[in-house]
Amino acid sequence: MSHDPMNPHLQSSADPSRSSEEIRQDFLQFFQAKGHEVVPSASLVPDGDGTLLFTNAGMNQFKDVFLGTGQRPYSRAVDTQKCLRVSGKHNDLEEVGHDTYHHTFFEMLGNWSFGDYFKAEAIRWAWELLVERWGLAPDRLYATVHEGDDDFGLSADADAYDLWLSETPLPEERVLYEPSKENFWMMGDTGPCGPCSELHVDLRPPEARRETPGRELVNVDHPQVMELWNLVFIQYNAQTDGSLEPLDDQHVDTGMGFERMVAVLQGKESTYDTDLFAPLLQAMADRSPREEIRGYDDLHIEDDDEHEQVRIALRVVADHIRAIAFAISDGVMPSNEGRGYVIRRILRRAVRYGYQTLELEEPFLHRLVDPLIEKMGGPFDGLAEQQEFIEQAIRSEEESFLETLGTGIEFFERVVPHVTGFQDTDREESDRLLGALREDAQAMDLLEKAYVDTDDENDILHSFARTARGGTLPGQIAFLLHDTYGFPIDLTRLMARERDLDVDMEGYEKLMGRQKRRARESSTVGEATGEMEVSVSVEREVRLEGAEVTVTESSDWKRVKDDNEGSEFVGYDQTEIMTKVQSFRVLDTEEGKHRQIELMRTPFYAEAGGQVGDTGTLRFGDESVQVLDTQREGERIAHTVDTLPESLDGPVEAAVDAERRNHIRTHHTATHLMHAVLRETLGDHVQQKGSLVAPDRLRFDFSHFDAVDEDTLRHIERRVNTAIQQNIPKQEARDVPIDEALDRGATALFDEQYGDRVRVITFDPDFSMELCGGTHVDATGEIGLFRFLSEGSVASGVRRVEAVAGKAALEHVESELETLTRARRQFRSLHTSLPEAIAEVQEERDRLAGEVDQLRRGQLSDQLDTFIAENAASVDGITVVTGRLDRASMDDLQELGQQFRDKLGEGAVGVLGSVGEDGEKAYVVATVADDLVDDGALRAGDLVGTLGDRLGGGGGGRPSLASAGGRDPEALDTVLDGVPDLVRDRLE
């Protein structure tokens, strides 16, 4: 069975040989020729925007310009923006792959005008590109404009309507007025906004177009009558009372879905049929062990349902690897929280489809990074530069999930038939099904693990049945899949939906909430870094792990001076200046009033790049105000103060806490030196993944998969201190074009957002050169001393080091010396050196521990004879002996198991069990005599497989001796009591 993706009814210009690379470049060059600056894509992690989990539109990086808080050195721009939409109103992750047009990761082509050209040029150039340059058939295009809105007090956008008629050959019947829902764009309930004009294309065959005019299908979600390009005319500022205030400047913001445009120009029905996805789809087909899967359009599968399921799986994996790889390249590592949790969900969804449908039981996703880079590494060089790290990060996640995936799927498959069985049953049938479920020992074992709040078996059964009768998988099951087997809830819902089942989300959320509360209660409060939770400046949508919440600010900034639009930072050169207040605000927080002041000029550094904000003093005449923290909001630098002065008018003396600043800059420069040595020592794959530069310490997260051993840490530490002793002078270059800085060899951080002009900090061009806006010492010798405190893992593929420098390092060394001095005092009477004395004590400790362990094992061994004498049972002529040992490890059991087997002799089976010292796990070992193994009657591996399952785990081993473990220690006595019946069942 094959599939022909070509649509013979697409516009005559369709050309399958026109590559996506050519289309992307053609778009950029078209607008570059019209005076637009080609700007790079922003990171998928929005810079300084707490309202977004990921960059989801081309306008995100220009949001400050529209808000009036930022500027650019150009008035026209064009780009292709990496976007990720996986939550909220923009996309439903569960749909991706099931249809042929949803995506998680996509590109948004856009051209921009910041107070320059407006509607006429935007409309004229859109038509010129689509029709005159790309050759789309004019009679298939429709334009929409805003019909007006009484609530906004707006009349119809007659300007745009007339321009479509005057600037293009579109007839009136193909220019349509549409309501605000479709043709008025808003950033949020407040802020920049304006009417928009969309271009739609009708891709239906001629007979369908004759039967129903395309104008009747615009904006009705018809798959072949779709939007291509949205031209937004930003000309208003929405107020809190719902009114619209005209902006001083008018802007153009356009967005074209690249994947969709490629499909149209290549004459494909689906974005997945384009060359953007073809290499990934083929790579997946080649990797699948199923011989009938030879390609996305070459599936030798007769069953239509199975045929479509395979195509769905291929689409899911091809889409998801793009999202995963690009997110990791922008610094988002799979994890259990925030952005990282979203990427982990996407990755696990892809792995599950590959595992179940394509029969890929080994890690495979990481192998798709190479074909992805071959296709997209050109315009997005961050992929190629981090290929090895991206592959390692993905593989690590795959291996971790695959360890539990199979078991979790087995659990799901064991329970789901019982759920479907209870659907729409009457009482008599329900009683029969309850009896059948009670007899299913494995299913009951799983239910007991899931229903942790219920001890009574009957209550568990009836609770399960009540939920199942409505065709719903209980929330307890969904939670266990998440908590024990790592299944994100959307993956469980997807698996349930494939069986026409719902999931009890209320029950699931209840258990998740309780788990989070326990985690909060058991965790310690993090160290304060001057951060404070405050409400946000405008009412807006905030997305976090798919949730949507709305937060509001209690007060806007109130301007004191009108002669400056932004704060000027002068703190690189001065720590004390005379200045004036520009604006202020007061926010309501959980802790009370939160006061902030903006100065026209300020020496206070606002928190950025990991460096904490400055503190200090503002002096208003005889009145002093303490600055508690400094943060940046767009072009505004906000000083959080303990109180507001009586008068904000007049001169202000602003003084940074110079001593604190000095400790901070010491740690910041030490971070640069350490980063350089890490790359020098561990390899160029080392990239910064997080940073904290504080007065008392530095923290640095970096990409690396292996622990950095003690010897390597000491080498890095010595190398940093050598650079400090060399007293390398700082070289500072401000306002450098970013391309020039990168050409010089400056290190740029992939998770940082840079402007067109940057600051470069260098300590020897051959050693450390970084793009950085932070404060630094004038020469490395000012640091004095550098010392590591710790090294560890914070996420898959990400290591963390903490260190101290300068005064903090000296204090740390003095503390270590004091500890060493106290230790020496303990050995004052010894004639040997301290290291030798400690070695002797350790040797004696190890000798005594060995003697204690030997004595303990002897006591355990003595119990074996007691078990044989008191616990022996006969099963069809076979002697079966069980026994429980306290505080025996798995190693103990395996050693004792061999002794047990020798003592029992022929015709005997023995099973020993123990609960680990932590009380959280149970272990069993089974032995079978050689004559029983030879007869084929019994095998130890078969026995422990069942025993381990009853203990909530698993195991295996040789036919004569095997072991197992599980997470249900309370079941151990019952499991041991059931061994004779298990042997009897095996014999039968």
Side-chain angles (χ1 to χ4, degrees):
M1 184 179 295
S2 64
H3 172 72
D4 182 6
M6 291 302 298
N7 185 341
H9 306 296
L10 294 180
Q11 70 286 350
S12 59
S13 65
D15 181 4
S17 68
R18 179 161 37 186
S19 71
S20 55
E21 290 89 344
E22 292 171 339
I23 295 169
R24 183 193 293 111
Q25 191 61 28
D26 206 26
F27 179 88
L28 298 175
Q29 289 176 346
F30 177 85
F31 283 102
Q32 187 178 34
K34 297 189 182 299
H36 291 64
E37 179 84 9
V38 179
V39 299
S41 171
S43 168
L44 283 173
V45 180
D47 179 44
D49 188 347
T51 69
L52 291 172
L53 203 57
F54 292 100
T55 297
N56 64 3
M59 58 76 56
N60 292 160
Q61 68 167 307
F62 302 117
K63 189 173 179 180
D64 60 326
V65 179
F66 299 146
L67 286 168
T69 61
Q71 295 179 333
R72 296 294 186 275
Y74 43 79
S75 59
R76 300 180 180 186
V78 61
D79 71 350
T80 178
Q81 173 61 52
K82 300 175 291 187
C83 297
L84 198 60
R85 292 182 180 175
V86 290
S87 64
K89 63 184 179 183
H90 290 294
N91 204 350
D92 186 347
L93 179 60
E94 296 177 28
E95 298 302 324
V96 174
H98 282 262
D99 57 39
T100 59
Y101 52 88
H102 268 115
H103 296 293
T104 51
F105 173 90
F106 65 96
E107 291 181 61
M108 183 72 80
L109 302 176
N111 58 289
W112 316 83
S113 167
F114 308 120
D116 189 356
Y117 64 83
F118 202 43
K119 296 180 183 179
E121 294 87 347
I123 289 172
R124 182 168 66 249
W125 292 339
W127 185 267
E128 180 183 343
L129 177 62
L130 292 182
V131 177
E132 298 174 19
R133 185 153 180 161
W134 283 347
L136 269 66
D139 62 345
R140 290 180 177 270
L141 294 177
Y142 295 83
T144 62
V145 296
H146 187 228
E147 70 177 12
D149 192 318
D150 291 340
D151 291 338
F152 285 144
L154 292 180
S155 57
D157 190 359
D159 290 342
Y161 185 90
D162 293 340
L163 285 167
W164 279 112
L165 299 179
S166 63
E167 299 290 335
T168 78
L170 274 178
E172 290 187 13
E173 62 268 18
R174 284 193 277 118
V175 183
L176 314 175
Y177 280 113
E178 294 286 330
S180 294
K181 175 186 176 184
E182 305 293 348
N183 277 74
F184 193 89
W185 181 88
M186 300 186 72
M187 182 182 294
D189 289 341
T190 61
C193 58
C196 58
S197 201
E198 298 173 343
L199 271 166
H200 296 251
V201 64
D202 185 350
L203 302 177
R204 295 175 300 149
E207 56 273 18
R209 294 174 61 209
R210 286 192 294 269
E211 182 177 337
T212 306
R215 60 181 293 121
E216 297 180 13
L217 301 177
V218 169
N219 284 329
V220 297
D221 294 328
H222 191 287
Q224 291 178 296
V225 182
M226 59 185 181
E227 175 195 337
L228 285 181
W229 204 349
N230 189 12
L231 316 178
V232 181
F233 309 122
I234 299 176
Q235 55 192 109
Y236 302 107
N237 188 14
Q239 305 298 301
T240 55
D241 62 1
S243 63
L244 300 181
E245 179 182 286
L247 291 170
D248 294 335
D249 294 319
Q250 296 177 327
H251 311 287
V252 172
D253 160 13
T254 84
M256 174 194 292
F258 178 57
E259 289 78 5
R260 183 177 293 183
M261 194 70 245
V262 171
V264 170
L265 293 179
Q266 291 183 353
K268 306 295 185 180
E269 287 186 338
S270 160
T271 53
Y272 289 97
D273 295 318
T274 67
D275 69 330
L276 281 166
F277 291 92
L280 298 172
L281 293 166
Q282 189 58 51
M284 279 302 303
D286 292 342
R287 297 211 66 79
S288 174
R290 296 182 59 178
E291 293 183 0
E292 66 271 31
I293 301 177
R294 302 177 186 178
Y296 181 62
D297 297 315
D298 189 12
L299 300 177
H300 295 257
I301 300 172
E302 296 301 324
D303 182 80
D304 288 345
D305 288 341
E306 185 182 359
H307 183 278
E308 182 57 21
Q309 288 303 311
V310 169
R311 286 171 62 83
I312 287 172
L314 291 170
R315 289 196 293 266
V316 166
V317 175
D319 171 272
H320 287 9
I321 186 59
R322 291 172 16 124
I324 297 161
F326 273 96
I328 292 174
S329 76
D330 280 344
V332 182
M333 294 297 295
S335 67
N336 281 332
E337 58 185 22
R339 297 181 178 97
Y341 178 65
V342 173
I343 300 307
R344 175 166 282 172
R345 287 166 54 203
I346 294 173
L347 187 148
R348 289 183 172 182
R349 186 171 188 260
V351 170
R352 179 254 170 176
Y353 270 100
Y355 181 93
Q356 274 197 296
T357 306
L358 306 178
E359 297 183 2
L360 288 157
E361 298 183 0
E362 298 294 329
F364 63 89
L365 269 180
H366 68 286
R367 299 186 182 275
L368 301 180
V369 175
D370 192 59
L372 173 63
I373 289 176
E374 287 184 15
K375 186 65 186 173
M376 303 187 73
F380 303 104
D381 54 10
L383 280 178
E385 292 176 9
Q386 299 186 83
Q387 178 172 354
E388 182 180 356
F389 175 72
I390 294 170
E391 290 174 342
Q392 287 182 322
I394 294 173
R395 177 166 188 145
S396 176
E397 279 291 313
E398 288 186 275
E399 291 173 340
S400 175
F401 186 43
L402 283 168
E403 289 179 2
T404 58
L405 176 62
T407 306
I409 290 175
E410 289 178 13
F411 167 23
F412 181 86
E413 297 293 346
R414 190 79 191 185
V415 172
V416 161
H418 292 288
V419 177
T420 56
F422 276 105
Q423 281 185 266
D424 305 321
T425 55
D426 57 25
R427 185 175 184 82
E428 183 176 344
E429 178 65 8
S430 180
D431 289 342
R432 186 189 68 77
L433 291 171
L434 283 172
L437 176 56
R438 196 188 303 272
E439 293 299 318
D440 187 339
Q442 288 182 319
M444 284 302 302
D445 185 53
L446 293 169
L447 291 186
E448 288 172 1
K449 290 184 176 66
Y451 286 82
V452 293
D453 295 330
T454 308
D455 296 327
D456 186 86
E457 183 179 280
N458 288 324
D459 290 343
I460 292 175
L461 287 168
H462 288 291
S463 177
F464 176 84
R466 278 195 302 272
T467 307
R469 286 192 191 99
T472 300
L473 185 77
Q476 292 89 340
I477 302 294
F479 178 75
L480 185 61
L481 281 170
H482 164 82
D483 192 51
T484 304
Y485 302 106
F487 280 56
I489 185 60
D490 55 321
L491 183 54
T492 301
R493 294 176 73 179
L494 175 66
M495 293 165 62
R497 187 180 66 176
E498 291 172 351
R499 303 299 185 87
D500 295 323
L501 297 174
D502 293 324
V503 175
D504 168 27
M505 292 303 298
E506 183 178 350
Y508 169 81
E509 294 292 351
K510 180 180 178 182
L511 290 168
M512 279 297 295
R514 184 169 67 183
Q515 183 192 59
K516 290 176 180 178
R517 284 194 301 274
R518 287 174 176 170
R520 284 194 299 268
E521 290 166 1
S522 63
S523 66
T524 58
V525 178
E527 296 179 61
T529 59
E531 299 174 355
M532 183 179 295
E533 290 188 4
V534 298
S535 51
V536 189
S537 60
V538 291
E539 184 172 356
R540 61 203 180 182
E541 188 180 84
V542 180
R543 299 182 185 86
L544 180 62
E545 296 185 18
E548 299 178 7
V549 288
T550 301
V551 291
T552 58
E553 180 193 78
S554 62
S555 176
D556 293 326
W557 286 93
K558 294 179 175 60
R559 187 164 291 280
V560 176
K561 297 290 182 183
D562 294 319
D563 53 352
N564 198 337
E565 286 299 318
S567 310
E568 179 187 0
F569 175 64
V570 297
Y572 293 138
D573 306 307
Q574 300 168 278
T575 56
E576 294 186 22
I577 65 166
M578 295 303 297
T579 183
K580 291 184 178 181
V581 174
Q582 184 157 289
S583 60
F584 72 97
R585 69 173 176 180
V586 179
L587 298 172
D588 287 323
T589 73
E590 293 180 358
E591 300 176 358
K593 297 292 185 182
H594 184 70
R595 303 163 182 85
Q596 292 181 316
I597 290 176
E598 178 194 13
L599 301 174
M600 294 178 65
R601 297 168 65 247
T602 178
F604 287 82
Y605 180 83
E607 180 175 326
Q611 179 174 328
V612 299
D614 277 336
T615 62
T617 305
L618 300 181
R619 191 164 203 63
F620 298 82
D622 295 331
E623 188 175 3
S624 291
V625 170
Q626 295 301 309
V627 177
L628 307 176
D629 188 23
T630 311
Q631 298 286 329
R632 181 176 288 277
E633 294 185 9
E635 296 297 310
R636 176 180 282 123
I637 296 176
H639 306 76
T640 301
V641 294
D642 61 345
T643 186
L644 291 176
E646 290 185 6
S647 174
L648 290 165
D649 202 6
V652 182
E653 181 183 353
V656 173
D657 182 336
E659 183 179 0
R660 180 176 181 272
R661 161 78 79 84
N662 188 53
H663 295 325
I664 292 171
R665 69 188 191 129
T666 295
H667 281 110
H668 202 152
T669 301
T671 300
H672 279 221
L673 304 182
M674 180 189 66
H675 188 192
V677 179
L678 283 168
R679 288 173 61 84
E680 177 185 272
T681 305
L682 302 179
D684 290 341
H685 66 278
V686 169
Q687 298 287 344
Q688 178 176 322
K689 297 298 178 183
S691 175
L692 170 68
V693 179
D696 60 336
R697 73 194 191 286
L698 68 87
R699 186 179 69 222
F700 191 77
D701 298 343
F702 60 97
S703 51
H704 190 61
F705 274 84
D706 299 320
V708 184
D709 60 57
E710 190 68 24
D711 288 342
T712 304
L713 278 179
R714 296 284 77 82
H715 165 78
I716 295 169
E717 187 176 270
R718 285 193 296 272
R719 182 74 178 86
V720 172
N721 280 311
T722 298
I724 291 172
Q725 292 161 11
Q726 290 171 341
N727 199 29
I728 304 169
K730 177 185 70 179
Q731 296 173 256
E732 177 185 8
R734 302 180 191 174
D735 200 35
V736 180
I738 187 168
D739 292 339
E740 179 184 331
L742 296 176
D743 289 341
R744 293 183 190 176
T747 299
L749 308 180
F750 285 101
D751 57 351
E752 287 287 339
Q753 187 79 22
Y754 298 103
D756 299 295
R757 306 188 75 82
V758 295
R759 178 170 174 258
V760 182
I761 297 296
T762 303
F763 292 95
D764 185 344
D766 295 327
F767 182 53
S768 172
M769 182 188 300
E770 290 194 24
L771 307 185
C772 181
T775 60
H776 290 273
V777 298
D778 293 324
T780 60
E782 295 178 33
I783 298 173
L785 182 65
F786 172 84
R787 184 77 171 169
F788 277 119
L789 298 179
S790 65
E791 188 277 343
S793 172
V794 290
S796 176
V798 178
R799 308 298 298 182
R800 169 175 291 175
V801 290
E802 293 202 7
V804 284
K807 181 181 177 182
L810 181 61
E811 291 173 348
H812 173 70
V813 170
E814 288 175 344
S815 175
E816 287 185 322
L817 288 173
E818 176 61 27
T819 300
L820 182 60
T821 300
R822 288 198 301 269
R824 287 183 182 277
R825 293 189 187 121
Q826 300 299 318
F827 295 93
R828 185 175 296 165
S829 61
L830 297 179
H831 299 292
T832 55
S833 66
L834 181 61
E836 291 175 338
I838 293 175
E840 289 176 4
V841 171
Q842 289 175 330
E843 183 179 348
E844 179 67 8
R845 181 202 62 189
D846 292 342
R847 184 186 66 79
L848 293 173
E851 290 180 2
V852 170
D853 189 55
Q854 186 176 1
L855 178 61
R856 182 182 62 83
R857 291 190 179 218
Q859 292 174 336
L860 291 173
S861 179
D862 290 343
Q863 296 182 55
L864 300 182
D865 292 328
T866 302
F867 296 151
I868 294 172
E870 299 180 358
N871 298 351
S874 179
V875 177
D876 295 340
I878 294 174
T879 300
V880 178
V881 183
T882 63
R884 172 167 176 164
L885 300 161
D886 292 326
R887 298 183 64 186
S889 67
M890 177 62 84
D891 290 341
D892 293 334
L893 281 186
Q894 290 176 335
E895 180 180 327
L896 293 167
Q898 186 60 53
Q899 297 179 29
F900 202 34
R901 185 172 181 273
D902 294 340
K903 288 177 177 288
L904 288 171
E906 293 188 352
V909 172
V911 176
L912 298 174
S914 174
V915 174
E917 288 193 24
D918 58 6
E920 295 182 359
K921 290 185 179 181
Y923 308 111
V924 290
V925 63
T927 71
V928 177
D930 288 339
D931 60 322
L932 299 179
V933 172
D934 294 339
D935 291 344
L938 294 168
R939 292 180 180 272
D942 294 339
L943 293 177
V944 297
T946 301
L947 297 174
D949 186 61
R950 292 175 179 178
L951 289 170
R958 305 191 309 273
S960 58
L961 191 148
S963 57
R967 298 183 179 181
D968 190 1
E970 294 181 1
L972 180 60
D973 289 338
T974 303
V975 168
L976 292 174
D977 291 342
V979 169
D981 289 337
L982 176 61
V983 171
R984 185 175 293 107
D985 292 342
R986 287 289 184 272
L987 292 174
E988 290 175 354

